[in-house]
Amino acid sequence: MSLLIWGSAAGNWPPNTIAEEYRLVQPTNVETLLISGSIDFSTPAQFAQQELLPSLRKGQHVVIAEQGHVGDFWQFQPEARQRMLTSFYDTGAADASLYKYLPMDFKPAMRFPTLAKVLVAVSLLLIVGLVWALWSGLRRISKPKTSPAK
C-alpha cells in the first residue's frame, strides 16, 4: 500500500529520518509523571515502564486499573484524577488513592446495528426531502402565470 501511495513520489521514499541519536530517549532529571491504563492497547503500560521510565531519574509511573487510553483518563473518576495531578504538581508525589476499581465496560455507546438504522433513516429522510424539493420546484415551474386583473 505504501508503494502504491508513495511509490510515485520520486526521490521522496523512503523518507529521510532524523539521526538515531535524537530518536533515543535521553536521560533527564525533570520530575515526570507517566500515567497508563492497564487496558491501553495503543500505548501499553509495560512500554512506559520498560522503555521510558529507566531514563527518567525523577519519574513516576502510575497504572490505573481497568482503564484504557486518554479518553478513559479524562472521563472517569474526575476527583481521583484531580487529586493525583495536583498532588504531583504540589509535592512531586502522585496520590492515586482516590481511584476506585471500576470494571472495564466493553459495551459501545452505539452499536453497529443501531448506527446502521440511524444512517438508513437519515438517508431516507434526505431522499424524501430531495424528492419533495424537486416535486415542488417542478410544480411551480409548470404552473401557468396569471396576469394581474386590470
Side-chain angles (χ1 to χ4, degrees), residues 72-131:
D72 288 352
F73 176 72
W74 290 110
Q75 291 175 5
F76 301 118
Q77 303 189 47
E79 297 84 15
R81 177 191 68 236
Q82 183 176 359
R83 163 82 63 86
M84 182 173 57
L85 293 176
T86 55
S87 68
F88 179 75
Y89 293 136
D90 290 344
T91 67
D95 177 8
S97 63
L98 288 184
Y99 275 100
K100 303 289 186 255
Y101 177 79
L102 293 175
M104 177 62 80
D105 179 11
F106 288 100
K107 294 178 188 169
M110 185 180 290
R111 294 198 225 158
F112 283 120
T114 307
L115 181 61
K117 290 174 187 174
V118 168
L119 289 174
V120 167
V122 168
S123 299
L124 287 174
L125 283 173
L126 285 172
I127 291 170
V128 168
L130 285 172
V131 168

Side-chain angles (χ1 to χ4, degrees), residues 42-53:
S42 63
T43 52
Q46 60 266 26
F47 289 172
Q49 185 71 34
Q50 296 167 359
E51 297 178 16
L52 190 56
L53 195 59

